[in-house]
Amino acid sequence: MTGRRSSTRNRIVPRSRIRTAAVLLSAAMVAGCGLVPGGDAKGVGKPPVTVMTWAPEKTGATNMPGVPAMARAYARWVNAHGGIGGRTLKVLTCNDHNDSVAAARCARSAVQHDVVAVVGSYSQHSNAFLPPLESAGIPYIGGYGATEAEFTSPLSYPVNGGQAALLAGNGRQLSEDCARTVLIRPDSIAGDQLAPLLNSGLALRDRPAAVDVLAADDATDYADQARRALDTASRAPQGEGCVAAVLGERTNTFFDSFRRLREDYPSVHTATVLGSVDQTVVDRTGGPESPYEGAYVTSWYPASGDARWAPMKRAINEQAFGDNRIDPADAGVQTTWIAYEVLRRVIESLGDEAVTSRAVRTALDDDLKVTTGGLTPPLRWGYDHMSAVGDYPRLVNARVSFQKVVSGRLKATGKSSVDVTGTLAGLS
């Protein structure tokens, strides 16, 4: 220490260096928040549109790496074709770590970065992420529907019926053949909602409520739960016992335990829902020899081989070929695609109007009719189109598809989707 003042005290710093430092500081802040920006378009004249997508990755329970990966691929794809209405789409992503603190942090980051919407995300912690979004007026478009709050918040714009529609639909599907049903579901707050929903579908044919078997959603073996399920379901009269497993990523772990035990019991039917199984899982576990063979599956959307998914598959092939995180048959990937298509149509409807969170909300609240190429019915979130299901007022799409695994392929069991609004209304 000399006590001498720096000779640079009055030095003039060039503006170019100031701008460079600002850019570097901004990038460091984004990296510090765990955010990853998407690709930019070239030659686009209007101000860019910034949104965020989040999902859990690299955790011991449910992981959805395809959700943020699809969001970034969508940005690259749309920007490569001129953006949306001449605007660059910028996507920030965040890892919610299956943790309420991290989910709230992602939401605060969305507010800090002044995003116009959170799009196509997955989180089980709506009580943590919705309040910051609501305070800032940021819409939540096309979340996965993992929690009930996504169907009550006035700033939530769901594109499917969430777990509510899937479970009610699965119960309705199983009511055809099941005299007794056992439900294997997570021992969690989100899991607590599943049994009443499944039972609402079973009740349509006066079937008894499902036997509720709880399971840790990060277990590596489910032999105890599989044994209990088989003990109960196999005692159903005339072989009409059913075992429905809804454990997300861990559903495959359950069915692995189930397969090792089922030969010691009379035959029972099996079932699950989209998000717990898809065509890739069936293929990976043996196709026609898979433990899912013959399983009843309830889905929000058409089967992955349906021609209506062709635009999504073209975008993936163009911008994410070889990215094994993005599976076109994955429910999270599919929902993210649909959510971003909703965003695109909203932005296009604004014309030359500034794209802000308020403008996006206003367009959606003013009853903009959004079509998704037949992947969903036309979607509208205006007051006149709110749901008749008292506990789920934002459930504007309660249609599900009944499918079954036949010869290793998920195949629709009917020609059209089924509306389960009336089934869910019975819960209110």
Side-chain angles (χ1 to χ4, degrees):
M1 296 288 291
T2 64
R4 201 179 347 179
R5 294 181 181 179
S6 169
S7 61
T8 62
R9 178 171 177 261
N10 297 316
R11 181 181 299 168
I12 297 175
V13 180
R15 291 183 180 178
S16 61
R17 290 177 60 184
I18 294 175
R19 286 195 297 268
T20 300
V23 169
L24 292 173
L25 177 60
S26 175
M29 290 175 66
V30 169
C33 292
L35 305 176
V36 181
D40 295 345
K42 295 182 179 180
V44 177
K46 295 179 182 177
V49 174
T50 303
V51 299
M52 181 179 284
T53 296
W54 58 56
E57 299 184 69
K58 299 178 181 179
T59 75
T62 297
N63 293 291
M64 289 283 187
V67 169
M70 182 71 244
R72 291 192 289 269
Y74 188 96
R76 294 194 299 271
W77 173 71
V78 79
N79 291 338
H81 295 278
I84 303 176
R87 300 174 176 89
T88 300
L89 177 63
K90 292 188 175 182
V91 174
L92 304 178
T93 62
C94 190
N95 185 351
D96 97 324
H97 293 285
N98 273 324
D99 178 82
S100 61
V101 174
R105 188 181 299 120
C106 286
R108 290 194 297 271
S109 294
V111 175
Q112 291 165 3
H113 287 84
D114 196 26
V115 304
V116 304
V118 174
V119 186
S121 298
Y122 177 98
S123 177
Q124 298 183 34
H125 301 286
S126 54
N127 290 336
F129 72 73
L130 277 173
L133 297 185
E134 290 171 342
S135 296
I138 296 174
Y140 186 68
I141 300 174
Y144 194 82
T147 65
E148 188 173 322
E150 293 176 52
F151 299 95
T152 59
S153 170
L155 268 71
S156 179
Y157 302 87
V159 298
N160 59 44
Q163 292 281 31
L166 288 180
L167 268 293
N170 201 232
R172 186 165 167 174
Q173 189 176 11
L174 295 181
S175 69
E176 298 281 344
D177 295 320
C178 303
R180 179 178 294 148
T181 298
V182 181
L183 172 64
I184 314 296
R185 54 87 168 178
D187 184 6
S188 66
I189 293 174
D192 290 343
Q193 303 173 20
L194 303 186
L197 293 166
L198 185 78
N199 292 337
S200 70
L202 291 171
L204 287 181
R205 292 181 177 270
D206 296 322
R207 300 294 192 181
V211 176
D212 193 17
V213 177
L214 280 60
D217 61 2
D218 59 353
T220 57
D221 181 84
Y222 292 102
D224 289 344
Q225 289 82 2
R227 189 174 292 106
R228 182 179 172 190
L230 284 162
D231 283 341
T232 303
S234 63
R235 292 199 299 269
Q238 300 175 350
E240 292 182 347
C242 295
V243 176
V246 184
L247 292 166
E249 272 192 355
R250 298 293 173 167
T251 302
N252 195 44
T253 304
F254 169 79
F255 273 106
D256 186 54
S257 299
F258 184 85
R259 171 162 51 184
R260 292 197 298 268
L261 295 170
R262 70 181 303 173
E263 291 183 359
D264 298 330
Y265 292 85
S267 178
V268 298
H269 299 293
T270 56
T272 187
V273 298
L274 184 73
S276 289
V277 70
D278 56 37
Q279 186 59 58
T280 303
V281 171
V282 175
D283 293 341
R284 190 173 65 242
T285 55
E289 304 302 321
S290 164
Y292 297 101
E293 182 66 21
Y296 297 107
V297 180
T298 306
S299 171
W300 295 309
Y301 312 125
S304 60
D306 192 285
R308 285 169 284 187
W309 291 112
M312 179 189 73
K313 292 177 180 179
R314 285 197 297 270
I316 293 171
N317 287 336
E318 181 181 323
Q319 294 295 334
F321 184 79
D323 187 340
N324 58 16
R325 295 170 300 173
I326 302 179
D327 180 356
D330 178 75
V333 168
Q334 293 173 345
T335 301
T336 301
W337 168 264
I338 292 171
Y340 271 91
E341 284 289 273
V342 169
L343 176 74
R344 180 164 70 91
R345 284 163 174 76
V346 171
I347 294 173
E348 289 172 346
S349 78
L350 296 176
D352 292 330
E353 181 182 346
V355 180
T356 64
S357 58
R358 182 174 183 176
V360 171
R361 287 196 331 269
T362 300
L364 292 167
D365 292 340
D366 283 351
D367 215 24
L368 176 70
K369 182 178 179 180
V370 176
T371 57
T372 60
L375 295 172
T376 68
L379 301 172
R380 304 173 80 166
W381 295 270
Y383 179 79
D384 291 340
H385 290 85
M386 290 297 98
S387 174
V389 182
D391 291 339
Y392 300 87
R394 308 292 291 181
L395 199 162
V396 301
N397 173 20
R399 301 198 73 83
V400 296
S401 169
F402 292 163
Q403 300 172 14
K404 189 175 183 179
V405 182
V406 180
S407 299
R409 306 299 300 174
L410 273 167
K411 297 182 180 180
T413 59
K415 293 183 178 180
S416 60
S417 57
V418 176
D419 192 336
V420 297
T421 299
T423 307
L424 290 169
L427 286 171
S428 303

